[in-house]
């Protein structure tokens, strides 16, 4: 921990109500965001959030308050919460106070900076829009991410948000010469330990920093851990002029921690019990994530959606800050289509001809149109059967189902669960595969040949079969199998390779 010399300004505890502490100072009144210390060796840390009058402040404890009593001395440290920054932080894991929690050696040369910093001015921000490739087909083709932008991963419990984040870390550290910072807000401790071990085994830990505010910690600590991670990211962007990938899991828990702090401070709740200052608090965090002339902080944030309700105020306010929204679908996860991204609900502001190019834009629009038409035809298939569709509609169904399977992808981080070797696919290969499927080049191949592959070239090795035209076939068995595939009977391939990792974490708040 940073060595600090405390000024002579001290006060006394007046009242303790859970994590809320009122303190009286006779002369000097600490400013907002000052850090106060109390208890044995100053182990109880309190952040000032309000000045009640000329002699009293109200603060929120960032550590458990056991042992804190009325009349106990409190010392003003004379500054805000600080965290270490610099190259020494790479490959390490920290808590909100900047303490190393990976059982490694203590930091000796690191510089310490306040977690409360202003966002970069408009004059410093870059006005260029660039694409940030992830190596994941469905994201790069349909909802490209922006370098220096913010992307949200929206989904309920157990649909694969954390798995998708860890896969993007894996791909980015290997592909870009940047730094990855993982911020776990309200994470389970086992998730942090698993991530640290997996990144070490993958050999990418040397360019990573991890910051955790675990779910057993007080709300004040969980509320500030996002600011701590951003301060570390800003050092690499501004001082070392490197690109930074900031992954936040989970931004909903940041809002939730703010809601708890607001309730403890006695503020009147707003809609659905959220804090009245939610919009401001989220903006103060999000506006610091920006692209400057020196470097960029690209952020991908998992957003837990309570009860899968996208009209929830937390989801709505988060949407407004994002340049790309990746929506995870429980229905697609149940069908075995991983990553379980809903291509019709997901969107990106980058998907315009001026940024991605005319060919990419046209292809993405045609893919969305084909998948949307298939969604409309599903009701007719369910009620009347496939035979009632015209030949043109049957071709659309065949194309859409092949596209859905081609846009699945085996992940490097799930190899041990699926037994499938993970694949990293370039944007050009992904576009080429989609274009060839839309031209019906693979109509003579079974749908399962396109499932969980990397590039479309891998289909050739799976062998051609007799074309399954979805019309009245002389072979009743073939007709039945074709109908079953087109109507979504998952007996034929899709659920034959379940991905246990995606369904592992089903206990989100």
């Amino acid at each position: 921990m940073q060595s600090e010399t405390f000024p002579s300004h001290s006060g006394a505890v007046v009242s303790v109500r859970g994590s809320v502490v009122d303190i009286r100072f006779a002369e000097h009144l600490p400013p907002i965001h000052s850090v106060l210390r109390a208890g044995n060796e100053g182990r109880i840390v309190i952040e000032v959030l309000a000045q009640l009058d000329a002699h009293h402040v109200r603060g929120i404890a960032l550590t458990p308050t056991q042992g804190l009593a009325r009349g106990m001395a409190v010392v003003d440290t004379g500054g805000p919460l600080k965290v270490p920054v610099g190259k020494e932080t790479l490959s390490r894991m920290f808590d909100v106070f900047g303490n190393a929690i990976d059982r490694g050696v203590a930091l000796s040369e690191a510089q310490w900076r306040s977690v409360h910093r202003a966002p970069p001015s408009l004059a410093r921000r870059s006005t260029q829009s660039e694409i940030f490739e992830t190596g994941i087909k469905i994201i790069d083709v349909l909802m490209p991410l922006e370098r220096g932008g913010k992307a949200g991963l929206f989904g309920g419990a157990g649909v694969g948000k954390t798995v998708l984040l860890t896969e993007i870390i894996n791909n980015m550290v290997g592909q870009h010469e940047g730094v990855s910072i993982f911020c776990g807000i309200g994470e389970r401790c086992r998730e942090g330990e698993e991530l640290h071990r997996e990144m070490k085994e993958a050999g990418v830990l040397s360019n990573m920093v991890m910051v955790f505010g675990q779910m057993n910690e007080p709300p004040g600590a969980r509320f500030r851990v996002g600011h701590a991670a951003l301060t570390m990211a800003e050092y690499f962007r501004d001082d070392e002029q490197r690109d930074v990938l900031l992954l936040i899991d989970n931004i909903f828990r940041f809002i939730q921690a703010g809601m708890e702090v607001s309730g403890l401070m006695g503020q009147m709740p707003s809609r659905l019990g959220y804090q009245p200052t939610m919009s401001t608090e989220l903006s103060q965090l999000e506006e610091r994530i920006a692209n400057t002339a020196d470097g960029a902080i690209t952020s991908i944030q998992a957003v837990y959606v309570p009860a899968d309700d996208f009209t929830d105020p937390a989801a709505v306010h988060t949407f407004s800050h994002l340049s790309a929204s990746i929506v995870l679908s429980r229905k697609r996860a149940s069908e075995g289509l991983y990553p379980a991204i809903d291509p019709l609900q997901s969107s990106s502001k980058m998907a315009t001809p001026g940024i991605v190019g005319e060919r990419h834009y046209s292809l993405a629009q045609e893919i969305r149109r084909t998948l949307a038409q298939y969604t409309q035809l599903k009701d007719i298939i369910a009620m009347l059967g496939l035979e009632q569709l015209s030949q043109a509609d049957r071709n659309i169904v065949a194309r859409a189902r092949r596209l859905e399977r081609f846009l699945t992808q085996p992940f490097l981080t799930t190899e041990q669960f699926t037994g499938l070797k993970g694949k990293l696919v370039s944007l050009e290969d992904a576009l080429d595969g989609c274009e060839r499927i839309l031209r019906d080049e693979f109509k003579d191949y079974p749908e399962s040949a396109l499932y969980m592959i990397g590039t479309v070239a891998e289909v050739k090795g799976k062998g051609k079969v007799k074309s399954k035209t979805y019309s009245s076939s002389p072979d009743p068995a073939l007709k039945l199998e074709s109908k079953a595939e087109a109507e979504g009977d998952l007996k034929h391939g899709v659920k034959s390779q379940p991905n246990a990792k995606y369904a592992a974490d089903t206990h989100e708040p």
Side-chain angles (χ1 to χ4, degrees):
M1 190 180 290
Q2 183 191 24
S3 59
E4 295 168 299
T5 53
F6 299 143
S8 57
H9 305 304
S10 62
V13 174
V14 175
S15 69
V16 183
R17 297 183 305 282
S19 292
V20 177
V21 186
D22 287 358
I23 302 141
R24 176 182 168 81
F25 285 85
E27 301 170 9
H28 162 81
L29 200 65
I32 303 292
H33 294 153
S34 292
V35 169
L36 315 176
R37 289 185 178 271
N40 186 24
E41 298 179 0
R43 294 196 176 183
I44 297 171
V45 182
I46 302 159
E47 185 180 39
V48 176
L49 290 188
Q51 294 178 334
L52 302 178
D53 55 37
H55 295 289
H56 293 85
V57 295
R58 179 167 291 168
I60 191 90
L62 307 184
T63 54
T65 54
Q66 283 92 337
L68 195 63
R70 288 179 65 183
M72 192 175 278
V74 177
V75 179
D76 176 14
T77 63
L81 187 66
K82 293 182 180 179
V83 290
V85 297
K87 290 182 179 176
E88 207 180 348
T89 60
L90 289 172
S91 80
R92 303 300 301 272
M93 188 189 288
F94 299 96
D95 64 10
V96 70
F97 306 109
N99 303 320
I101 53 173
D102 54 5
R103 298 180 186 171
V105 294
L107 302 182
S108 55
E109 303 296 321
Q111 181 185 347
W112 290 72
R113 287 187 183 171
S114 165
V115 302
H116 302 283
R117 297 169 64 82
S121 64
L122 289 174
R124 284 185 57 211
R125 295 188 184 228
S126 171
T127 54
Q128 270 189 321
S129 293
E130 297 175 50
I131 297 300
F132 191 80
E133 275 194 47
T134 63
I136 297 169
K137 289 181 285 191
I138 190 166
I139 293 177
D140 290 343
V141 171
L142 294 176
M143 57 227 63
L145 306 186
E146 180 186 11
R147 177 180 172 268
K150 297 178 274 283
L153 280 176
F154 290 84
V159 290
K161 296 185 298 299
T162 303
V163 172
L164 200 51
L165 279 185
T166 53
E167 181 69 10
I168 291 169
I169 293 175
N170 220 323
N171 294 356
M172 287 311 97
V173 176
Q175 201 177 350
H176 295 252
E177 292 301 314
V179 177
S180 283
I181 295 184
F182 185 91
C183 174
I185 305 177
E187 281 290 284
R188 305 166 182 84
C189 57
R190 84 168 158 78
E191 287 180 342
E193 190 277 329
E194 279 174 10
L195 181 68
H196 187 268
R197 184 162 29 85
E198 284 169 13
M199 295 299 110
K200 193 172 184 177
E201 288 169 4
V204 298
L205 199 60
S206 58
N207 277 319
M208 271 193 78
V209 184
M210 296 186 194
V211 190
F212 284 96
Q214 290 160 213
M215 58 169 57
N216 64 319
E217 294 185 29
R222 284 181 273 125
F223 186 60
R224 286 290 176 231
V225 73
H227 300 92
L230 254 172
T231 302
M232 293 179 176
E234 285 167 342
Y235 168 85
F236 290 107
R237 180 192 66 191
D238 300 335
D239 293 43
E240 296 204 1
Q241 301 185 353
R242 294 171 75 176
D243 281 1
V244 183
L245 179 66
L246 174 66
L247 298 115
I248 302 176
D249 189 7
N250 184 309
I251 201 73
F252 171 78
R253 296 202 191 109
F254 166 77
I255 294 170
Q256 198 176 41
M259 179 167 61
E260 291 177 50
V261 169
S262 173
L264 289 166
M265 293 293 289
Q267 292 179 340
M268 183 72 74
S270 182
R271 190 171 150 229
L272 293 186
Y274 287 104
Q275 64 271 39
T277 53
M278 174 172 67
S279 179
T280 309
E281 290 166 359
L282 189 61
S283 299
Q284 285 171 344
L285 185 77
E286 297 281 9
E287 285 302 301
R288 288 171 63 182
I289 302 168
N291 187 358
T292 67
D294 300 326
I297 299 176
T298 303
S299 174
I300 300 173
Q301 306 166 10
V303 186
Y304 169 70
V305 181
D308 291 344
D309 176 16
F310 285 90
T311 64
D312 187 90
V316 170
H317 279 84
T318 307
F319 261 122
S320 64
H321 291 280
L322 305 175
S323 56
S325 302
I326 300 168
V327 178
L328 295 166
S329 157
R330 194 173 303 282
K331 185 173 183 297
R332 289 176 71 84
S334 69
E335 291 173 2
L337 298 171
Y338 292 113
I341 296 169
D342 188 325
L344 300 178
Q345 282 197 55
S346 305
S347 63
S348 170
K349 293 175 183 171
M350 295 292 100
T352 61
I355 296 172
V356 298
E358 195 63 53
R359 175 180 174 244
H360 184 167
Y361 175 75
S362 302
L363 261 174
Q365 291 298 94
E366 193 174 348
I367 291 164
R368 285 182 190 278
R369 190 161 48 247
T370 304
L371 294 174
Q373 286 173 318
Y374 173 45
T375 302
Q376 291 171 349
L377 291 169
K378 278 180 179 175
D379 290 340
I380 299 172
I381 295 168
M383 289 186 292
L384 303 174
L386 193 67
E387 290 79 5
Q388 301 304 314
L389 298 181
S390 66
Q391 189 59 49
D393 283 347
R394 288 179 209 167
N395 291 339
I396 287 169
V397 170
R399 271 183 225 126
R401 288 178 61 79
R402 279 171 173 76
L403 278 171
E404 280 184 339
R405 278 144 189 78
F406 176 64
L407 292 174
T408 62
Q409 190 167 339
F411 281 176
L412 295 158
T413 49
T414 59
E415 283 179 6
Q416 57 182 314
F417 301 98
T418 61
L420 297 172
K421 185 171 172 56
K423 302 286 169 64
L424 186 71
V425 183
S426 70
L427 174 60
E428 192 52 45
D429 286 340
L431 289 173
D432 178 58
C434 292
E435 193 171 38
R436 290 171 68 184
I437 290 168
L438 288 167
R439 290 202 307 254
D440 288 338
E441 277 190 39
F442 298 96
K443 65 179 181 181
D444 293 337
Y445 288 82
E447 292 170 2
S448 56
L450 290 152
Y451 179 64
M452 282 293 172
I453 61 170
T455 64
V456 81
E458 294 174 36
V459 178
K460 300 289 184 185
K462 301 205 174 186
K464 194 177 281 193
V465 298
K466 186 177 178 182
S467 173
K468 291 180 183 177
T469 55
Y470 301 122
S471 58
S472 50
S473 167
D475 181 353
L478 180 60
K479 179 179 172 184
L480 181 66
E481 185 183 355
S482 302
K483 181 181 176 185
E485 277 194 22
E487 290 180 5
D489 183 346
L490 301 173
K491 193 188 300 178
H492 300 277
V494 176
K495 260 201 169 171
S496 60
Q497 298 175 22
N499 194 330
K501 175 68 171 172
Y502 283 91
D505 300 329
T506 55
H507 304 292
E508 302 230 8

